[in-house]
Amino acid sequence: MKYKTSGVCSRSIDFDVVDNKVTNVHFEGGCSGNTQGVAALIEGMDIDEAIKRMSGIKCGFRPTSCPDQLANALTQYKEQA
């Protein structure tokens, strides 16, 4: 799935979900080290656990963050499935 982000430096997030596990996460733009770290940490994680861990994280004074946007994307994926 490709998700267009909002309110963060990254422009979009691509990911797959296989057997309820998050895989192949790739952020377009954003802070490269941070987004690669987030992607590596949730690789193979249960989608519900990933949403629980990342939802609500803020970036500085912004009301959202790249991890929060990924949680939003995963939530949207679940709602469409």
Side-chain angles (χ1 to χ4, degrees), residues 3-61:
Y3 178 83
K4 185 173 178 352
T5 58
S6 176
V8 295
C9 298
S10 65
R11 294 178 294 283
S12 65
I13 307 168
D14 291 301
F15 64 92
D16 296 316
V17 177
V18 178
D19 296 330
N20 217 43
K21 307 287 185 199
V22 182
T23 64
N24 301 318
V25 177
H26 179 263
F27 288 81
E28 180 184 351
C31 303
S32 181
N34 290 336
T35 57
Q36 287 179 59
V38 168
L41 287 169
I42 69 156
E43 181 69 25
M45 186 180 289
D46 178 82
I47 190 171
D48 294 315
E49 183 65 21
I51 292 168
K52 181 178 134 188
R53 289 184 184 206
M54 296 184 297
S55 186
I57 293 174
K58 296 177 178 17
C59 183
F61 295 106

